Amino acid sequence: MGVQKDRVKFNVGGRRFETTATTLAIAGRNSLFGAMFDENWDMDPTAAADEHFIDRNPDCFAVLLDLLRTGELYIPPNIPERLLHREALFYGLSDHLRAAKWGPFDGNTLRLSRSIPGRAPGDGTAIRAGPDGGCCVAHGSMVHVYDWAMEEHPPMNLDYQRVNDAVWVDSNSIVLSACERLGRDDGGMGLFNASTSELKYRFHVTHDDQVKSFTGGALSLNYSDYRLFASCRGRSNEYGVGVWDQVTGKQVDFFYEPPGWSLGEADKLQWLHGANCLMVATLFPRKDNCYISLLDFRDKERMVWAWSDAGAPVGDERRVRDAIAMEECGSICVVNEYEDLGFMDLRRSGGAMRWRSRSRLMKGKMPDEPCYPKLALHQGQLFSSMNDTISVFCGPDWVLTSRLRNGYGGSICDFSIGGDRLFALHSEENVFDVWETRPPPFM
Amino acid sequence: MSSGQKKRNFQIEAFKHKVVVDPKYAEKTWKVLEHAIHEIYNHNASGLSFEELYRNAYNMVLHKYGEKLYSGLVSTMTFHLQTMSKSIEAAHGGSFLEELNSKWSDHNKALQMIRDILMYMDRTFIPSTHKTPVHELGLNLWRDNVVHSDKIQTRLLNTIFELILKERTGEVINRGLMRNIIKMLMDLGASVYQEDFEKPFLDVSADFYRVESQEFLECSDCGDYLKKAERRLNEEIERVSHYLDVKSEAKITNVVEKEMIANHMLGLVHMENSGLVKMLLDDKFEDLGRMYNLFRRVPNGLSTIRDVMTSHIRDTGKQLVTDPEKSKNPVEFVECLLEKRDKYDKIISLAFGNDKTFQNALNSSFEYFINLNPRSPEYISLFVDDKLRKGLKGVKEEDIELILDKVMMLFRYLQEKDVFEKYYKQHLAKRLLSGKTVSDDAERSLIVKLKTECGYQFTSKLEGMFTDMKTSQDTMQGFYATYGAELANGPTLVVQVLTTGSWPTQTSVTCNLPSEMLALCEKFRSYYLGTHTGRRLSWQTNMGTADLRATFGNGQKYELDVSTYQMCVLMLFNGADSLSYREIEQATEIPSSDLKRCLQSLACVKGKNVLRKEPMSKDIAEDDEFSVNDKFTSKLRKVKIGTVVAQKESEPEKQETRQRVEEDRKPQIEAAVVRIMKSRRVLDHNNIIAEVTKQLQSRFLANPGEIKKRIESLIERDFLERDNADRRLYRYLA
């Protein structure tokens, strides 16, 4: 048997480890090991006599070395995750750790990973998933930010201005919209650093070349040409949808609300990439009627599709509580307060709603503090929250294929999908759940 | 607690001593790292402990001294770069670039090592504070302290340009070094490369090539100049591939193209004794190809070549078709056209990459000059006639096709296709009747080609002629099957029954046939009319031929191959030794012009003079006497006596054909007008003219004056009327 040439010896915090240069190479050039054994540093990893000392925790090193060896993460019960994250950050192995923790998102294989309790009871406004596994929770005038390891960063405090919506621009920046308070020129929208919570930029609205204060409502981003959209309510009836360039931060457009319609108080904005237009939905109970429209901002501003229940006799079963555009199917999906789904054809304006009565049974056994249903769409899977459960619908006929339920925290007031994770915010306890898919099996 | 004790208010003091890391600790840690950076720059890193340095940098970030670490890095690195800058400045002459290159690679290596130590800061502190990452920072500092330093910036640029100039003048330079230096500029960012190098490089190159192109122009001819320009272009492309950014290729070739070609385009094309015309004349495919490839790169380059080529073809073509010498021999005339066409076809395919626009230019030029000579249709038909009579004998089938295709090409250029049709019909009729056609397949093949080109209508009559030939054969077979036995001893009659209208009929007087023949003809007439009812036969004696067996006075027997007219004349001598012109004319009733020609060929052609004429002269006079030439001898037993025929049409014949063509066009124009008006109902004058011209294009170029006359005639006949309000409008009357 020949002598194995690529053996490497470590002494980590007093404990000896032996591994191979091949295993360490998996860590990549952008890690401590990659740098340490680069030829520049002239350290021969195979010099058998040499033992490389590292002044770190040996238990964590063992876990991370195992991760490099097998690609699988196993955390012994005596090691807190937080500790492991810190060590991984030191070695430059955070990406390895994160990749091993959860797999690609699939609504049908989600498992509850953690429940993070909030600081105050109930009444959260919104939860938004970040692009790399973190999330932010808006609660009154506070926004709490968590990174992928569920470490909380310094919160954003807007000082008496209630936050209406939040959107992640990238993994390090969040745009918040807030209510304007009477008598003060504040509110509006700002860009915040997610890790330091500093305000980096304020977005302004100008009407007739004059900067005006406003209340920022629902937000949406167009990632392909860096546009930011927000529903805006100005003080002198300047209602509508504002458009900003994300790069320059300058306002580039404003779609004024036409009479008899609602844009400025919208509950939801959604950019449709293929159709190149923006869906604006204002829903009951913010207004007495529901208004859903698609706006086209190219050349001349146009409302290319519109639907409203104004004028139609509407019972509670027909009240739209949330809406989502599904470009692949060319339709808009809506939900009522009994979690019945309804569909409308996007290709024809003024078409009728097709309701799918599914759960009239729910009537009568509503919880004390009901939450209105919310919808989300992710890679062809439709998600709808109702009370304390999230339902997953799949396939062309939207068959219910999974239900996500956690017995604790009461009704779900908002949920969000991103970074291969699903976050659900409960209304009673202000606790939020993290759902993720297991890494694929090894066999 | 005793009451004696003085009551004291409890005061809870705030915890004032925050846990702070010893500020000296930060300073100490930084010193270690600073020392390490110095050592790295001094190539002294082997004594450093990577783990310790990494841990120190980690600790500084962890204990919120990231800012200090970062600013320390900036100032330490700046210090080293300034030192390097000084040493580069101090380098003499040629070693300047080498020094710069070696310092650049030192800096790169050091930068990589520093980044390794500060990896934790790069990953955590820098993104959250939106600072420049270490690697980029290192490049920026290099740019600001070295590349943009006053004493280096211009010197660097000048040195690079000097080297490139040397290479352009043929010296060998260190390309590896150049590549490293240019790569450095590229690494510093696209804007550094473009602003600090590429732009001035393009300017310097433009100046260089401006001067050089002037020099070349003065001392070389067009072909040489193009060779040099091509070489320069390839050199620049090669230079880019060796040590410049690939994106520069388009820009620098653009400069060469502009300075060496675009600016001198006209001068080159029109260069005396070596320009484009000369190249075309001398078939310089290589030079032409080079010109095409180079000119293609610049705007309007190809159109310049094309224009000059077009006008050259037009001029030479015009000379060719209007040259009276060439017109004397139609076959040669057409052969010259084909030769010219072949020549340019070859040029376009070999040198101009089969460029469609050039082919179109060639076609339009031919169309232009071929139609300058109104006799072109006739000549082309004569050429075909010549080829199909004898020219194609022994030629392979594919070659026949090839020649016919070429003829079709010329045919396509003709505007007066109906004139061609007229002549072709005449010539085809002669070929068929005299049995002179070489290959039936070739004849039919050409008809098919004409049909695909001009449609069914164009060739229906021509095909009718072929059908007549075939039917006649059958008729003759039937005739001899019926009367074969009783006619066995007499002369043999072969009759071609021609449908009126399909053939170019000439109203000619039937001559008096010899009695033997007359009887036979009558027999045929009764046979034919017996099998076909409702037809009328008239004899076209002017078109027939005859084979005669003649015995001369010296006992020599010959077989004479003559025309029907000649036969009639010769048969007269069976009953008389000598006859006068008038007697012959009276007996045969052959029209005098034909008779004169006929007698001329019998009596005046040397070697074939079966008759003797008194007095002996070349021309036939009214009072000449004719007798059998008893002394006639020939080496061959079979003697073919041709008629003295004008191959080309004589002037009056031409006039006549012309008139017939004009006459035939009238109904066609009228039909076109009626067709158009029927669908449009109302149309103004200009539009009618345009549409009619377009519809008739495939047959001939209609004359607007003639169209106007036809419209007027149609108005008279109540097909059309003028609009009462607008006189320019015509209205269709159903």
Side-chain angles (χ1 to χ4, degrees):
Chain A
M1 211 176 95
V3 185
Q4 214 176 346
K5 283 189 184 132
D6 69 343
R7 283 246 292 263
V8 184
K9 290 179 187 169
F10 282 111
N11 180 337
V12 181
R15 226 161 89 196
R16 296 239 165 98
F17 292 89
E18 282 197 40
T19 180
T20 58
T22 330
T23 302
L24 292 176
I26 295 186
R29 181 64 183 82
N30 271 343
S31 68
L32 174 119
F33 306 115
M36 197 167 175
F37 298 119
D38 189 87
E39 54 185 10
N40 279 344
W41 289 97
D42 203 21
M43 276 196 284
D44 185 3
T46 58
D50 256 9
E51 167 181 276
H52 305 287
F53 178 76
I54 301 177
D55 186 13
R56 300 302 293 187
N57 180 325
D59 292 340
C60 291
F61 184 81
V63 174
L64 293 171
L65 185 58
D66 190 53
L67 172 66
L68 288 181
R69 282 172 178 150
T70 62
E72 193 176 4
L73 180 65
Y74 175 69
I75 310 175
N78 64 331
I79 297 180
E81 257 193 85
R82 194 186 148 106
L83 181 64
L84 193 65
H85 291 155
R86 189 194 65 200
E87 290 301 297
L89 192 59
F90 174 83
Y91 294 111
L93 294 173
S94 290
D95 291 338
H96 293 71
L97 187 62
R98 188 173 55 168
K101 262 184 82 72
W102 69 90
F105 188 84
D106 177 359
N108 290 314
T109 57
L110 292 176
R111 72 196 159 109
L112 182 63
S113 154
R114 294 176 71 172
S115 284
I116 317 279
R119 295 183 174 275
D123 291 335
T125 310
I127 188 162
R128 295 285 177 261
D132 62 355
C135 72
C136 66
V137 181
H139 185 247
S141 63
M142 297 283 284
V143 177
H144 298 276
V145 184
Y146 300 84
D147 64 20
W148 68 271
M150 290 301 122
E151 284 296 312
E152 188 175 352
H153 287 253
M156 296 153 199
N157 189 344
L158 268 60
D159 191 24
Y160 301 112
Q161 303 162 65
R162 198 161 55 77
V163 174
N164 282 328
D165 200 359
V167 64
W168 289 80
V169 177
D170 56 48
S171 56
N172 211 27
S173 323
I174 300 175
V175 173
L176 301 180
S177 62
C179 287
E180 174 196 20
R181 282 180 300 159
L182 280 177
R184 302 195 190 194
D185 287 336
D186 50 14
M189 288 152 54
L191 177 74
F192 291 81
N193 183 325
S195 47
T196 61
S197 82
E198 285 166 284
L199 173 64
K200 290 197 289 188
Y201 184 77
R202 277 188 69 150
F203 295 93
H204 291 290
V205 166
T206 52
H207 296 288
D208 304 326
D209 293 332
Q210 256 189 308
V211 176
K212 299 271 183 88
S213 70
F214 67 104
T215 288
L219 297 168
S220 179
L221 280 175
N222 167 6
Y223 289 99
S224 63
D225 59 1
Y226 304 104
R227 291 290 149 94
L228 170 68
F229 304 93
S231 60
C232 303
R233 270 181 293 152
R235 213 170 295 158
S236 35
N237 281 334
E238 289 133 343
Y239 281 35
V241 174
V243 187
W244 290 265
D245 187 315
Q246 274 181 55
V247 180
T248 63
K250 296 279 173 278
Q251 182 191 340
V252 291
D253 208 344
F254 198 89
F255 198 120
Y256 288 95
E257 181 176 295
W261 200 258
S262 171
L263 296 175
E265 292 165 286
D267 291 270
K268 188 161 191 165
L269 302 186
Q270 184 190 354
W271 176 253
L272 306 188
H273 193 78
N276 232 315
C277 51
L278 185 75
M279 184 195 79
V280 184
T282 313
L283 306 162
F284 184 80
R286 196 182 295 270
K287 294 282 253 182
D288 287 344
N289 290 105
C290 300
Y291 304 90
I292 304 177
S293 44
L294 295 188
L295 310 183
D296 189 336
F297 289 90
R298 286 168 300 183
D299 49 305
K300 214 168 177 206
E301 296 171 356
R302 258 174 347 116
M303 201 181 276
V304 291
W305 187 94
W307 174 87
S308 170
D309 61 4
V314 190
D316 271 356
E317 308 94 77
R318 292 289 181 262
R319 284 253 188 244
V320 172
R321 298 304 180 124
D322 197 9
I324 191 160
M326 305 190 293
E327 280 201 90
E328 286 85 14
C329 334
S331 56
I332 283 187
C333 175
V334 297
V335 66
N336 69 359
E337 69 181 79
Y338 305 112
E339 214 190 352
D340 295 328
L341 299 180
F343 297 91
M344 280 184 289
D345 197 334
L346 257 181
R347 289 159 296 195
R348 261 181 327 123
S349 200
M353 177 89 72
R354 284 181 294 112
W355 282 100
R356 236 181 41 174
S357 208
R358 195 173 55 83
S359 51
R360 280 284 181 77
L361 307 169
M362 294 294 292
K363 231 176 183 178
K365 49 172 184 177
M366 296 292 277
D368 298 339
E369 206 180 310
C371 276
Y372 297 127
K374 296 260 174 151
L375 294 170
L377 187 73
H378 193 268
Q379 290 173 350
Q381 296 178 327
L382 182 64
F383 297 79
S384 130
S385 69
M386 181 70 193
N387 297 331
D388 61 350
T389 309
I390 293 175
S391 309
V392 186
F393 303 91
C394 290
D397 301 323
W398 304 115
V399 176
L400 174 66
T401 54
S402 289
R403 307 199 88 164
L404 313 174
R405 187 159 179 272
N406 169 27
Y408 175 71
S411 300
I412 293 168
C413 62
D414 195 16
F415 72 100
S416 170
I417 301 168
D420 285 331
R421 276 174 157 174
L422 184 149
F423 299 93
L425 179 64
H426 296 273
S427 69
E428 275 166 47
E429 292 296 335
N430 195 20
V431 61
F432 72 86
D433 303 329
V434 185
W435 296 80
E436 60 201 21
T437 299
R438 277 177 201 282
F442 289 91
M443 291 295 286
Chain B
M1 212 175 279
S2 72
S3 56
Q5 252 183 316
K6 200 172 150 198
K7 269 200 173 172
R8 206 161 64 122
N9 280 340
F10 263 112
Q11 203 179 350
I12 299 173
E13 279 188 31
F15 186 72
K16 278 178 187 158
H17 308 291
K18 253 170 56 184
V19 182
V20 187
V21 184
D22 178 6
K24 278 190 188 140
Y25 163 79
E27 198 51 46
K28 263 189 244 164
T29 316
W30 167 241
K31 282 288 169 232
V32 173
L33 288 166
E34 191 185 22
H35 171 75
I37 294 173
H38 287 314
E39 293 294 80
I40 287 170
Y41 272 108
N42 295 334
H43 306 282
N44 217 359
S46 56
L48 300 172
S49 157
F50 175 76
E51 192 274 342
E52 186 195 346
L53 296 171
Y54 188 94
R55 178 158 37 84
N56 281 334
Y58 171 81
N59 283 333
M60 282 191 79
V61 174
L62 199 67
H63 295 118
K64 308 274 182 276
Y65 290 106
E67 198 61 55
K68 182 179 173 61
L69 181 58
Y70 193 84
S71 58
L73 169 70
V74 172
S75 58
T76 314
M77 207 185 269
T78 307
F79 165 77
H80 279 283
L81 290 178
Q82 277 164 357
T83 320
M84 283 181 166
S85 176
K86 290 222 168 58
S87 116
I88 296 165
E89 281 164 24
H92 292 293
S95 65
F96 169 74
L97 278 191
E98 268 137 39
E99 183 68 13
L100 180 65
N101 184 34
S102 98
K103 286 285 181 272
W104 163 245
S105 77
D106 285 354
H107 174 62
N108 258 331
K109 190 177 167 191
L111 185 59
Q112 178 65 48
M113 292 172 81
I114 292 167
R115 203 244 150 189
D116 285 346
I117 302 174
L118 303 181
M119 192 182 273
Y120 190 79
M121 176 181 85
D122 222 14
R123 197 177 310 120
T124 58
F125 175 74
I126 284 174
S128 68
T129 50
H130 296 276
K131 290 194 184 322
T132 314
V134 175
H135 185 74
E136 207 183 321
L137 175 74
L139 296 182
N140 291 351
L141 289 176
W142 172 269
R143 178 191 65 205
D144 299 342
N145 291 296
V146 180
V147 175
H148 283 180
S149 96
D150 295 340
K151 288 181 185 147
I152 293 182
Q153 193 165 20
T154 44
R155 190 170 163 197
L156 173 62
L157 209 57
N158 290 337
T159 314
I160 294 177
F161 292 159
E162 242 167 65
L163 285 173
I164 291 179
L165 183 65
K166 271 186 183 171
E167 201 181 34
R168 278 183 183 144
T169 50
E171 284 181 53
V172 175
I173 62 162
N174 184 348
R175 283 183 161 179
L177 180 61
M178 279 298 259
R179 185 169 53 237
N180 288 347
I181 297 293
I182 301 289
K183 175 92 179 14
M184 171 191 85
L185 295 174
M186 278 153 69
D187 285 348
L188 294 178
S191 68
V192 175
Y193 175 78
Q194 282 161 11
E195 292 300 319
D196 292 4
F197 167 71
E198 199 184 48
K199 264 188 197 158
F201 167 66
L202 295 177
D203 291 344
V204 166
S205 303
D207 291 342
F208 175 81
Y209 285 117
R210 195 172 304 127
V211 172
E212 190 176 78
S213 62
Q214 275 308 335
E215 281 168 15
F216 282 176
L217 272 181
E218 278 159 26
C219 66
S220 37
D221 66 15
C222 182
D224 282 346
Y225 181 94
L226 292 176
K227 254 178 226 152
K228 285 174 185 163
E230 189 184 42
R231 204 180 58 228
R232 281 305 192 193
L233 205 55
N234 289 336
E235 273 172 19
E236 290 302 329
I237 292 170
E238 199 197 327
R239 187 180 338 282
V240 171
S241 77
H242 273 109
Y243 53 80
L244 300 184
D245 184 6
V246 271
K247 289 197 209 79
S248 298
E249 188 182 304
K251 296 178 195 165
I252 182 67
T253 49
N254 222 338
V255 167
V256 181
E257 285 155 10
K258 181 169 175 287
E259 295 301 337
M260 297 205 81
I261 299 165
N263 288 352
H264 305 296
M265 211 148 56
L266 289 176
L268 286 170
V269 167
H270 295 296
M271 198 180 266
E272 229 159 288
N273 290 328
S274 69
L276 179 58
V277 169
K278 181 76 175 157
M279 290 180 186
L280 291 172
L281 283 175
D282 296 352
D283 286 335
K284 299 239 170 172
F285 298 123
E286 214 175 293
D287 287 344
L288 287 167
R290 191 170 290 119
M291 183 180 262
Y292 176 81
N293 285 325
L294 290 173
F295 278 47
R296 191 169 51 169
R297 311 178 73 109
V298 302
N300 297 327
L302 288 189
S303 62
T304 308
I305 300 184
R306 214 161 41 227
D307 293 348
V308 172
M309 184 188 85
T310 306
S311 69
H312 174 67
I313 298 179
R314 283 183 184 212
D315 289 351
T316 52
K318 193 172 170 183
Q319 266 169 34
L320 188 107
V321 298
T322 51
D323 181 0
E325 277 305 303
K326 283 278 180 334
S327 290
K328 276 188 183 155
N329 185 346
V331 176
E332 198 184 310
F333 175 89
V334 175
E335 260 160 8
C336 282
L337 288 180
L338 287 178
E339 210 173 278
K340 198 172 175 62
R341 164 83 210 185
D342 278 351
K343 174 190 167 83
Y344 284 99
D345 253 354
K346 204 166 165 201
I347 287 175
I348 288 174
S349 77
L350 288 179
F352 297 159
N354 270 328
D355 191 318
K356 266 272 169 315
T357 57
F358 278 73
Q359 282 170 353
N360 292 344
L362 174 65
N363 289 339
S364 74
S365 312
F366 264 78
E367 198 174 324
Y368 162 77
F369 71 74
I370 281 188
N371 289 301
L372 285 180
N373 187 338
R375 305 197 70 168
S376 291
E378 185 190 349
Y379 291 171
I380 292 171
S381 176
L382 278 171
F383 176 79
V384 177
D385 190 53
D386 179 67
K387 287 292 166 202
L388 291 175
R389 262 175 200 274
K390 57 178 183 213
L392 293 177
K393 227 175 246 172
V395 181
K396 269 188 274 167
E397 208 166 305
E398 300 95 78
D399 296 339
I400 296 176
E401 282 293 304
L402 212 67
I403 290 175
L404 295 184
D405 278 336
K406 281 180 181 171
V407 170
M408 283 309 294
M409 203 132 59
L410 294 182
F411 169 73
R412 255 172 239 139
Y413 297 139
L414 292 178
Q415 279 164 356
E416 300 188 304
K417 295 194 169 58
D418 55 342
V419 177
F420 174 86
E421 189 198 359
K422 275 268 149 21
Y423 284 109
Y424 189 76
K425 210 155 107 184
Q426 272 175 30
H427 296 142
L428 176 65
K430 273 187 196 154
R431 279 202 300 283
L432 289 176
L433 294 178
S434 61
K436 293 280 171 48
T437 171
V438 176
S439 156
D440 218 34
D441 287 344
E443 291 281 4
R444 284 185 186 281
S445 162
L446 190 64
I447 301 271
V448 169
K449 284 182 207 306
L450 287 170
K451 196 174 180 173
T452 41
E453 193 68 32
C454 297
Y456 164 78
Q457 212 189 352
F458 194 86
T459 57
S460 64
K461 286 182 180 170
L462 301 178
E463 280 173 279
M465 289 160 76
F466 277 97
T467 320
D468 281 351
M469 293 304 289
K470 182 86 183 52
T471 337
S472 300
Q473 227 168 30
D474 295 344
T475 312
M476 285 325 289
Q477 262 170 17
F479 177 65
Y480 277 101
T482 317
Y483 298 104
E486 90 187 62
L487 296 173
N489 295 323
T492 314
L493 176 72
V494 180
V495 180
Q496 323 274 10
V497 184
L498 312 180
T499 313
T500 326
S502 292
W503 297 73
T505 43
Q506 283 162 11
T507 43
S508 69
V509 194
T510 310
C511 73
N512 286 340
L513 291 170
S515 52
E516 304 94 310
M517 292 313 298
L518 206 56
L520 199 53
C521 288
E522 277 313 310
K523 204 161 206 115
F524 178 79
R525 185 196 293 273
S526 60
Y527 166 79
Y528 185 80
L529 294 180
T531 47
H532 302 84
T533 46
R535 300 216 180 159
R536 211 162 59 85
L537 283 181
S538 64
W539 300 98
Q540 296 275 327
T541 43
N542 57 331
M543 291 158 101
T545 59
D547 288 342
L548 293 179
R549 230 169 275 143
T551 314
F552 289 88
N554 50 9
Q556 282 283 6
K557 285 185 181 173
Y558 290 104
E559 226 171 86
L560 302 180
D561 183 353
V562 295
S563 71
T564 305
Y565 281 159
Q566 286 166 338
M567 185 259 300
C568 295
V569 173
L570 289 177
M571 291 290 269
L572 292 178
F573 289 94
N574 274 341
D577 286 338
S578 162
L579 290 166
S580 70
Y581 174 82
R582 278 186 217 288
E583 282 168 328
I584 296 174
E585 190 177 22
Q586 228 158 29
T588 58
E589 287 183 9
I590 297 172
S592 67
S593 67
D594 287 334
L595 181 61
K596 274 181 187 167
R597 268 209 303 239
C598 162
L599 286 169
Q600 209 171 10
S601 55
L602 287 169
C604 305
V605 181
K606 213 175 169 203
K608 295 187 174 175
N609 48 340
V610 289
L611 294 184
R612 215 170 37 207
K613 182 169 85 82
E614 271 314 320
M616 298 254 276
S617 68
K618 270 221 168 295
D619 292 313
I620 307 293
E622 304 261 313
D623 39 13
D624 284 353
E625 285 283 326
F626 294 90
S627 59
V628 178
N629 180 10
D630 285 333
K631 296 192 183 95
F632 175 78
T633 55
S634 168
K635 274 180 238 161
L636 300 167
R637 245 182 63 74
K638 195 165 179 164
V639 180
K640 182 172 161 35
I641 297 174
T643 319
V644 178
V645 271
Q647 225 195 356
K648 233 168 52 176
E649 274 195 324
S650 61
E651 207 48 41
E653 277 177 318
K654 204 178 93 188
Q655 289 299 337
E656 197 192 317
T657 315
R658 194 77 228 166
Q659 212 176 343
R660 271 215 311 277
V661 167
E662 292 297 340
E663 213 50 54
D664 281 0
R665 280 180 186 179
K666 284 180 187 167
Q668 292 188 45
I669 295 173
E670 284 180 1
V673 171
V674 170
R675 261 199 306 276
I676 291 159
M677 289 309 292
K678 200 168 179 178
S679 65
R680 295 305 215 41
R681 314 309 288 186
V682 179
L683 207 63
D684 68 289
H685 183 76
N686 287 346
N687 271 321
I688 291 194
I689 301 280
E691 292 233 5
V692 168
T693 313
K694 207 174 130 204
Q695 269 205 8
L696 295 172
Q697 215 167 32
S698 71
R699 298 183 54 79
F700 58 90
L701 199 67
N703 176 3
E706 185 57 35
I707 300 175
K708 190 155 184 271
K709 271 189 209 154
R710 292 299 103 213
I711 292 172
E712 246 131 51
S713 149
L714 287 169
I715 290 173
E716 271 167 32
R717 284 179 281 158
D718 284 341
F719 280 97
L720 310 177
E721 66 173 2
R722 276 188 210 278
D723 193 282
N724 285 331
D726 187 346
R727 300 300 286 172
R728 279 173 311 148
L729 286 182
Y730 298 111
R731 203 175 282 285
Y732 180 71
L733 296 173

